[in-house]
Amino acid sequence: GAGVSQSPSNKVTEKGKDVELRCDPISGHTALYWYRQSLGQGLEFLIYFQGNSAPDKSGLPSDRFSAERTGGSVSTLTIQRTQQEDSAVYLCASVGRTEAFFGQGTRLTVV
Amino acid sequence: AQSVTQLDSQVPVFEEAPVELRCNYSSSVSVYLFWYVQYPNQGLQLLLKYLSGSTLVKGINGFEAEFNKSQTSFHLRKPSVHISDTAEYFCAVRIRQETSGSRLTFGEGTQLTVNP
């Protein structure tokens, strides 16, 4: 497609379960970011990919969070043993030469 | 490392009034600067960007911003706002380099509320 696609758009999960969030970036974009936006908060950087490697994963809040990218395209963000504080909107951005294009996000609710 | 400060968390204005949303950044190297807008329950949309050249950049929806290197600022302005401009606005900075590989750092956001 022409834009950044994220799935699912909404996810409700029980505390302690694992979740996987998916991002399909714009074709040809080599760089990809994941951010988290909690209610009423700004954007918290999680991880950045250049191709399939992650030169900057300093924003991952704990070892329960991991991400991978395969084929220089699709990326998945996995949260293990989810906690209520993980509830947020998770945004993916696909980066062109200079600017980032954002998906609509996945709204994660941990109950 | 670069950082961004948005000086106002909330800006209420009346319709048709002018508005300025302030953004200051810090970086030891040259940067690209961006303003994004987020309407309620939507993703982020690029308003405008400064890459190089003219320090006054124009974006969508009648917004403009001016890059001031000496003051390390990139304030967003609109001469006359509409109700539909009510949204969260984010200033962002990225280190200027040949590849797309560097972190995009955001400010905390400014909630613009336009009242009738």
Side-chain angles (χ1 to χ4, degrees), chain A residues 72-102:
Chain A
S73 182
V74 172
S75 177
T76 54
L77 176 69
T78 301
I79 309 173
Q80 295 178 307
R81 305 180 303 281
T82 52
Q83 303 294 313
Q84 288 185 327
E85 61 262 29
D86 300 334
S87 296
V89 176
Y90 290 81
L91 293 166
C92 171
S94 173
V95 187
R97 174 67 177 84
T98 54
E99 69 193 70
F101 298 86
F102 283 82

PDB file of all heavy atoms in Angstrom, chain A residues 72-102:
ATOM      1  N   GLY A  72      14.056  -6.481   5.658  1.00  0.00           N
ATOM      2  CA  GLY A  72      14.082  -5.032   5.527  1.00  0.00           C
ATOM      3  C   GLY A  72      12.714  -4.417   5.358  1.00  0.00           C
ATOM      4  O   GLY A  72      12.588  -3.277   4.895  1.00  0.00           O
ATOM      5  N   SER A  73      11.671  -5.161   5.767  1.00  0.00           N
ATOM      6  CA  SER A  73      10.323  -4.657   5.561  1.00  0.00           C
ATOM      7  C   SER A  73       9.510  -4.742   6.846  1.00  0.00           C
ATOM      8  O   SER A  73       9.700  -3.929   7.747  1.00  0.00           O
ATOM      9  CB  SER A  73       9.651  -5.423   4.425  1.00  0.00           C
ATOM     10  OG  SER A  73       8.349  -4.923   4.182  1.00  0.00           O
ATOM     11  N   VAL A  74       8.689  -5.769   6.958  1.00  0.00           N
ATOM     12  CA  VAL A  74       7.763  -5.880   8.085  1.00  0.00           C
ATOM     13  C   VAL A  74       8.517  -5.953   9.414  1.00  0.00           C
ATOM     14  O   VAL A  74       9.549  -6.615   9.532  1.00  0.00           O
ATOM     15  CB  VAL A  74       6.872  -7.124   7.918  1.00  0.00           C
ATOM     16  CG1 VAL A  74       6.043  -7.383   9.160  1.00  0.00           C
ATOM     17  CG2 VAL A  74       5.988  -6.970   6.695  1.00  0.00           C
ATOM     18  N   SER A  75       7.962  -5.257  10.411  1.00  0.00           N
ATOM     19  CA  SER A  75       8.525  -5.306  11.752  1.00  0.00           C
ATOM     20  C   SER A  75       7.449  -5.752  12.733  1.00  0.00           C
ATOM     21  O   SER A  75       6.270  -5.416  12.569  1.00  0.00           O
ATOM     22  CB  SER A  75       9.063  -3.941  12.162  1.00  0.00           C
ATOM     23  OG  SER A  75       9.539  -3.967  13.496  1.00  0.00           O
ATOM     24  N   THR A  76       7.875  -6.503  13.744  1.00  0.00           N
ATOM     25  CA  THR A  76       6.956  -6.891  14.806  1.00  0.00           C
ATOM     26  C   THR A  76       7.521  -6.469  16.153  1.00  0.00           C
ATOM     27  O   THR A  76       8.730  -6.608  16.410  1.00  0.00           O
ATOM     28  CB  THR A  76       6.706  -8.409  14.819  1.00  0.00           C
ATOM     29  OG1 THR A  76       7.971  -9.079  14.880  1.00  0.00           O
ATOM     30  CG2 THR A  76       5.949  -8.852  13.602  1.00  0.00           C
ATOM     31  N   LEU A  77       6.672  -5.936  16.978  1.00  0.00           N
ATOM     32  CA  LEU A  77       7.010  -5.560  18.346  1.00  0.00           C
ATOM     33  C   LEU A  77       6.282  -6.543  19.253  1.00  0.00           C
ATOM     34  O   LEU A  77       5.059  -6.683  19.161  1.00  0.00           O
ATOM     35  CB  LEU A  77       6.569  -4.125  18.641  1.00  0.00           C
ATOM     36  CG  LEU A  77       6.773  -3.618  20.064  1.00  0.00           C
ATOM     37  CD1 LEU A  77       8.268  -3.461  20.366  1.00  0.00           C
ATOM     38  CD2 LEU A  77       6.063  -2.280  20.268  1.00  0.00           C
ATOM     39  N   THR A  78       7.033  -7.238  20.085  1.00  0.00           N
ATOM     40  CA  THR A  78       6.453  -8.242  20.967  1.00  0.00           C
ATOM     41  C   THR A  78       6.586  -7.794  22.412  1.00  0.00           C
ATOM     42  O   THR A  78       7.657  -7.335  22.834  1.00  0.00           O
ATOM     43  CB  THR A  78       7.156  -9.601  20.789  1.00  0.00           C
ATOM     44  OG1 THR A  78       7.028 -10.025  19.420  1.00  0.00           O
ATOM     45  CG2 THR A  78       6.529 -10.655  21.696  1.00  0.00           C
ATOM     46  N   ILE A  79       5.490  -7.898  23.136  1.00  0.00           N
ATOM     47  CA  ILE A  79       5.498  -7.596  24.566  1.00  0.00           C
ATOM     48  C   ILE A  79       5.109  -8.885  25.282  1.00  0.00           C
ATOM     49  O   ILE A  79       4.015  -9.427  25.068  1.00  0.00           O
ATOM     50  CB  ILE A  79       4.520  -6.472  24.929  1.00  0.00           C
ATOM     51  CG1 ILE A  79       4.736  -5.248  24.034  1.00  0.00           C
ATOM     52  CG2 ILE A  79       4.682  -6.085  26.398  1.00  0.00           C
ATOM     53  CD1 ILE A  79       3.699  -4.158  24.216  1.00  0.00           C
ATOM     54  N   GLN A  80       6.003  -9.365  26.113  1.00  0.00           N
ATOM     55  CA  GLN A  80       5.739 -10.593  26.863  1.00  0.00           C
ATOM     56  C   GLN A  80       5.198 -10.252  28.246  1.00  0.00           C
ATOM     57  O   GLN A  80       5.533  -9.209  28.826  1.00  0.00           O
ATOM     58  CB  GLN A  80       7.038 -11.395  27.006  1.00  0.00           C
ATOM     59  CG  GLN A  80       7.587 -11.896  25.671  1.00  0.00           C
ATOM     60  CD  GLN A  80       8.902 -12.638  25.848  1.00  0.00           C
ATOM     61  OE1 GLN A  80       9.830 -12.115  26.458  1.00  0.00           O
ATOM     62  NE2 GLN A  80       8.983 -13.845  25.318  1.00  0.00           N
ATOM     63  N   ARG A  81       4.356 -11.136  28.747  1.00  0.00           N
ATOM     64  CA  ARG A  81       3.820 -11.001  30.116  1.00  0.00           C
ATOM     65  C   ARG A  81       3.330  -9.573  30.343  1.00  0.00           C
ATOM     66  O   ARG A  81       3.788  -8.854  31.241  1.00  0.00           O
ATOM     67  CB  ARG A  81       4.890 -11.373  31.137  1.00  0.00           C
ATOM     68  CG  ARG A  81       5.475 -12.765  30.929  1.00  0.00           C
ATOM     69  CD  ARG A  81       6.547 -13.109  31.974  1.00  0.00           C
ATOM     70  NE  ARG A  81       7.649 -12.159  32.008  1.00  0.00           N
ATOM     71  CZ  ARG A  81       8.663 -12.122  31.147  1.00  0.00           C
ATOM     72  NH1 ARG A  81       8.707 -13.007  30.159  1.00  0.00           N
ATOM     73  NH2 ARG A  81       9.620 -11.230  31.280  1.00  0.00           N
ATOM     74  N   THR A  82       2.372  -9.170  29.539  1.00  0.00           N
ATOM     75  CA  THR A  82       1.921  -7.781  29.561  1.00  0.00           C
ATOM     76  C   THR A  82       1.465  -7.345  30.948  1.00  0.00           C
ATOM     77  O   THR A  82       0.904  -8.133  31.732  1.00  0.00           O
ATOM     78  CB  THR A  82       0.770  -7.564  28.572  1.00  0.00           C
ATOM     79  OG1 THR A  82      -0.245  -8.551  28.814  1.00  0.00           O
ATOM     80  CG2 THR A  82       1.250  -7.651  27.144  1.00  0.00           C
ATOM     81  N   GLN A  83       1.714  -6.071  31.228  1.00  0.00           N
ATOM     82  CA  GLN A  83       1.309  -5.430  32.474  1.00  0.00           C
ATOM     83  C   GLN A  83       0.360  -4.288  32.133  1.00  0.00           C
ATOM     84  O   GLN A  83       0.346  -3.787  31.004  1.00  0.00           O
ATOM     85  CB  GLN A  83       2.528  -4.898  33.215  1.00  0.00           C
ATOM     86  CG  GLN A  83       3.573  -5.953  33.515  1.00  0.00           C
ATOM     87  CD  GLN A  83       3.070  -6.993  34.491  1.00  0.00           C
ATOM     88  OE1 GLN A  83       2.490  -6.660  35.515  1.00  0.00           O
ATOM     89  NE2 GLN A  83       3.273  -8.269  34.165  1.00  0.00           N
ATOM     90  N   GLN A  84      -0.391  -3.835  33.123  1.00  0.00           N
ATOM     91  CA  GLN A  84      -1.346  -2.755  32.880  1.00  0.00           C
ATOM     92  C   GLN A  84      -0.651  -1.479  32.418  1.00  0.00           C
ATOM     93  O   GLN A  84      -1.212  -0.732  31.615  1.00  0.00           O
ATOM     94  CB  GLN A  84      -2.204  -2.511  34.114  1.00  0.00           C
ATOM     95  CG  GLN A  84      -3.214  -3.624  34.347  1.00  0.00           C
ATOM     96  CD  GLN A  84      -4.159  -3.331  35.498  1.00  0.00           C
ATOM     97  OE1 GLN A  84      -3.775  -2.688  36.465  1.00  0.00           O
ATOM     98  NE2 GLN A  84      -5.372  -3.828  35.381  1.00  0.00           N
ATOM     99  N   GLU A  85       0.557  -1.254  32.880  1.00  0.00           N
ATOM    100  CA  GLU A  85       1.269  -0.031  32.474  1.00  0.00           C
ATOM    101  C   GLU A  85       1.728  -0.071  31.021  1.00  0.00           C
ATOM    102  O   GLU A  85       2.203   0.942  30.498  1.00  0.00           O
ATOM    103  CB  GLU A  85       2.482   0.239  33.381  1.00  0.00           C
ATOM    104  CG  GLU A  85       3.527  -0.843  33.376  1.00  0.00           C
ATOM    105  CD  GLU A  85       3.378  -1.782  34.565  1.00  0.00           C
ATOM    106  OE1 GLU A  85       2.251  -1.962  35.052  1.00  0.00           O
ATOM    107  OE2 GLU A  85       4.417  -2.324  34.986  1.00  0.00           O
ATOM    108  N   ASP A  86       1.573  -1.243  30.382  1.00  0.00           N
ATOM    109  CA  ASP A  86       1.901  -1.331  28.957  1.00  0.00           C
ATOM    110  C   ASP A  86       0.778  -0.765  28.087  1.00  0.00           C
ATOM    111  O   ASP A  86       0.957  -0.599  26.871  1.00  0.00           O
ATOM    112  CB  ASP A  86       2.152  -2.786  28.542  1.00  0.00           C
ATOM    113  CG  ASP A  86       3.302  -3.430  29.289  1.00  0.00           C
ATOM    114  OD1 ASP A  86       4.207  -2.686  29.732  1.00  0.00           O
ATOM    115  OD2 ASP A  86       3.290  -4.665  29.450  1.00  0.00           O
ATOM    116  N   SER A  87      -0.367  -0.492  28.678  1.00  0.00           N
ATOM    117  CA  SER A  87      -1.498   0.057  27.919  1.00  0.00           C
ATOM    118  C   SER A  87      -1.108   1.398  27.324  1.00  0.00           C
ATOM    119  O   SER A  87      -0.679   2.310  28.041  1.00  0.00           O
ATOM    120  CB  SER A  87      -2.717   0.236  28.831  1.00  0.00           C
ATOM    121  OG  SER A  87      -3.173  -1.019  29.302  1.00  0.00           O
ATOM    122  N   ALA A  88      -1.241   1.504  26.010  1.00  0.00           N
ATOM    123  CA  ALA A  88      -0.832   2.714  25.292  1.00  0.00           C
ATOM    124  C   ALA A  88      -1.153   2.525  23.812  1.00  0.00           C
ATOM    125  O   ALA A  88      -1.611   1.452  23.399  1.00  0.00           O
ATOM    126  CB  ALA A  88       0.674   2.954  25.458  1.00  0.00           C
ATOM    127  N   VAL A  89      -0.904   3.563  23.046  1.00  0.00           N
ATOM    128  CA  VAL A  89      -0.948   3.440  21.590  1.00  0.00           C
ATOM    129  C   VAL A  89       0.483   3.257  21.097  1.00  0.00           C
ATOM    130  O   VAL A  89       1.363   4.055  21.443  1.00  0.00           O
ATOM    131  CB  VAL A  89      -1.586   4.674  20.934  1.00  0.00           C
ATOM    132  CG1 VAL A  89      -1.525   4.560  19.413  1.00  0.00           C
ATOM    133  CG2 VAL A  89      -3.024   4.843  21.401  1.00  0.00           C
ATOM    134  N   TYR A  90       0.708   2.224  20.337  1.00  0.00           N
ATOM    135  CA  TYR A  90       2.043   1.927  19.804  1.00  0.00           C
ATOM    136  C   TYR A  90       2.069   2.359  18.341  1.00  0.00           C
ATOM    137  O   TYR A  90       1.288   1.880  17.517  1.00  0.00           O
ATOM    138  CB  TYR A  90       2.366   0.450  19.970  1.00  0.00           C
ATOM    139  CG  TYR A  90       2.593   0.103  21.421  1.00  0.00           C
ATOM    140  CD1 TYR A  90       1.511  -0.126  22.274  1.00  0.00           C
ATOM    141  CD2 TYR A  90       3.875   0.063  21.963  1.00  0.00           C
ATOM    142  CE1 TYR A  90       1.706  -0.395  23.619  1.00  0.00           C
ATOM    143  CE2 TYR A  90       4.077  -0.209  23.304  1.00  0.00           C
ATOM    144  CZ  TYR A  90       2.989  -0.429  24.125  1.00  0.00           C
ATOM    145  OH  TYR A  90       3.194  -0.691  25.463  1.00  0.00           O
ATOM    146  N   LEU A  91       2.973   3.280  18.051  1.00  0.00           N
ATOM    147  CA  LEU A  91       3.057   3.878  16.722  1.00  0.00           C
ATOM    148  C   LEU A  91       4.311   3.414  16.005  1.00  0.00           C
ATOM    149  O   LEU A  91       5.390   3.331  16.602  1.00  0.00           O
ATOM    150  CB  LEU A  91       3.087   5.399  16.832  1.00  0.00           C
ATOM    151  CG  LEU A  91       1.807   6.066  17.352  1.00  0.00           C
ATOM    152  CD1 LEU A  91       2.075   7.513  17.724  1.00  0.00           C
ATOM    153  CD2 LEU A  91       0.712   6.003  16.306  1.00  0.00           C
ATOM    154  N   CYS A  92       4.149   3.150  14.736  1.00  0.00           N
ATOM    155  CA  CYS A  92       5.268   2.773  13.883  1.00  0.00           C
ATOM    156  C   CYS A  92       5.461   3.885  12.857  1.00  0.00           C
ATOM    157  O   CYS A  92       4.487   4.468  12.361  1.00  0.00           O
ATOM    158  CB  CYS A  92       4.949   1.459  13.183  1.00  0.00           C
ATOM    159  SG  CYS A  92       6.115   0.967  11.904  1.00  0.00           S
ATOM    160  N   ALA A  93       6.707   4.198  12.553  1.00  0.00           N
ATOM    161  CA  ALA A  93       7.001   5.213  11.536  1.00  0.00           C
ATOM    162  C   ALA A  93       7.993   4.652  10.531  1.00  0.00           C
ATOM    163  O   ALA A  93       8.975   4.004  10.902  1.00  0.00           O
ATOM    164  CB  ALA A  93       7.559   6.473  12.185  1.00  0.00           C
ATOM    165  N   SER A  94       7.725   4.903   9.275  1.00  0.00           N
ATOM    166  CA  SER A  94       8.570   4.479   8.167  1.00  0.00           C
ATOM    167  C   SER A  94       9.315   5.723   7.684  1.00  0.00           C
ATOM    168  O   SER A  94       8.690   6.773   7.472  1.00  0.00           O
ATOM    169  CB  SER A  94       7.660   3.920   7.071  1.00  0.00           C
ATOM    170  OG  SER A  94       8.357   3.626   5.891  1.00  0.00           O
ATOM    171  N   VAL A  95      10.614   5.608   7.544  1.00  0.00           N
ATOM    172  CA  VAL A  95      11.421   6.809   7.311  1.00  0.00           C
ATOM    173  C   VAL A  95      11.992   6.841   5.907  1.00  0.00           C
ATOM    174  O   VAL A  95      12.698   5.928   5.485  1.00  0.00           O
ATOM    175  CB  VAL A  95      12.573   6.887   8.331  1.00  0.00           C
ATOM    176  CG1 VAL A  95      13.300   8.220   8.195  1.00  0.00           C
ATOM    177  CG2 VAL A  95      12.036   6.715   9.745  1.00  0.00           C
ATOM    178  N   GLY A  96      11.676   7.938   5.208  1.00  0.00           N
ATOM    179  CA  GLY A  96      12.251   8.180   3.905  1.00  0.00           C
ATOM    180  C   GLY A  96      13.569   8.902   4.033  1.00  0.00           C
ATOM    181  O   GLY A  96      14.231   8.826   5.063  1.00  0.00           O
ATOM    182  N   ARG A  97      13.919   9.667   3.027  1.00  0.00           N
ATOM    183  CA  ARG A  97      15.212  10.346   3.018  1.00  0.00           C
ATOM    184  C   ARG A  97      15.352  11.289   4.221  1.00  0.00           C
ATOM    185  O   ARG A  97      16.399  11.358   4.862  1.00  0.00           O
ATOM    186  CB  ARG A  97      15.343  11.139   1.712  1.00  0.00           C
ATOM    187  CG  ARG A  97      16.575  12.024   1.626  1.00  0.00           C
ATOM    188  CD  ARG A  97      17.881  11.261   1.575  1.00  0.00           C
ATOM    189  NE  ARG A  97      19.006  12.165   1.416  1.00  0.00           N
ATOM    190  CZ  ARG A  97      19.597  12.787   2.433  1.00  0.00           C
ATOM    191  NH1 ARG A  97      19.159  12.612   3.659  1.00  0.00           N
ATOM    192  NH2 ARG A  97      20.611  13.594   2.218  1.00  0.00           N
ATOM    193  N   THR A  98      14.269  12.002   4.528  1.00  0.00           N
ATOM    194  CA  THR A  98      14.378  12.961   5.620  1.00  0.00           C
ATOM    195  C   THR A  98      13.233  12.869   6.625  1.00  0.00           C
ATOM    196  O   THR A  98      13.424  13.142   7.801  1.00  0.00           O
ATOM    197  CB  THR A  98      14.394  14.404   5.084  1.00  0.00           C
ATOM    198  OG1 THR A  98      13.249  14.610   4.266  1.00  0.00           O
ATOM    199  CG2 THR A  98      15.659  14.679   4.287  1.00  0.00           C
ATOM    200  N   GLU A  99      12.042  12.511   6.183  1.00  0.00           N
ATOM    201  CA  GLU A  99      10.910  12.595   7.096  1.00  0.00           C
ATOM    202  C   GLU A  99      10.324  11.225   7.405  1.00  0.00           C
ATOM    203  O   GLU A  99      10.508  10.262   6.672  1.00  0.00           O
ATOM    204  CB  GLU A  99       9.829  13.502   6.498  1.00  0.00           C
ATOM    205  CG  GLU A  99       9.138  12.922   5.270  1.00  0.00           C
ATOM    206  CD  GLU A  99       8.315  13.961   4.548  1.00  0.00           C
ATOM    207  OE1 GLU A  99       8.911  14.873   3.938  1.00  0.00           O
ATOM    208  OE2 GLU A  99       7.083  13.851   4.585  1.00  0.00           O
ATOM    209  N   ALA A 100       9.608  11.175   8.516  1.00  0.00           N
ATOM    210  CA  ALA A 100       8.964   9.945   8.964  1.00  0.00           C
ATOM    211  C   ALA A 100       7.473   9.995   8.680  1.00  0.00           C
ATOM    212  O   ALA A 100       6.827  11.014   8.885  1.00  0.00           O
ATOM    213  CB  ALA A 100       9.197   9.759  10.462  1.00  0.00           C
ATOM    214  N   PHE A 101       6.946   8.870   8.220  1.00  0.00           N
ATOM    215  CA  PHE A 101       5.519   8.716   7.952  1.00  0.00           C
ATOM    216  C   PHE A 101       4.972   7.716   8.964  1.00  0.00           C
ATOM    217  O   PHE A 101       5.490   6.614   9.098  1.00  0.00           O
ATOM    218  CB  PHE A 101       5.290   8.206   6.523  1.00  0.00           C
ATOM    219  CG  PHE A 101       5.783   9.145   5.460  1.00  0.00           C
ATOM    220  CD1 PHE A 101       7.108   9.101   5.049  1.00  0.00           C
ATOM    221  CD2 PHE A 101       4.938  10.070   4.881  1.00  0.00           C
ATOM    222  CE1 PHE A 101       7.581   9.975   4.073  1.00  0.00           C
ATOM    223  CE2 PHE A 101       5.400  10.940   3.897  1.00  0.00           C
ATOM    224  CZ  PHE A 101       6.728  10.891   3.498  1.00  0.00           C
ATOM    225  N   PHE A 102       3.907   8.116   9.649  1.00  0.00           N
ATOM    226  CA  PHE A 102       3.386   7.302  10.731  1.00  0.00           C
ATOM    227  C   PHE A 102       2.176   6.480  10.314  1.00  0.00           C
ATOM    228  O   PHE A 102       1.354   6.922   9.505  1.00  0.00           O
ATOM    229  CB  PHE A 102       2.993   8.190  11.916  1.00  0.00           C
ATOM    230  CG  PHE A 102       4.161   8.660  12.715  1.00  0.00           C
ATOM    231  CD1 PHE A 102       4.904   9.752  12.312  1.00  0.00           C
ATOM    232  CD2 PHE A 102       4.534   7.991  13.874  1.00  0.00           C
ATOM    233  CE1 PHE A 102       6.001  10.177  13.042  1.00  0.00           C
ATOM    234  CE2 PHE A 102       5.628   8.417  14.614  1.00  0.00           C
ATOM    235  CZ  PHE A 102       6.364   9.508  14.197  1.00  0.00           C
TER     236      PHE A 102
END
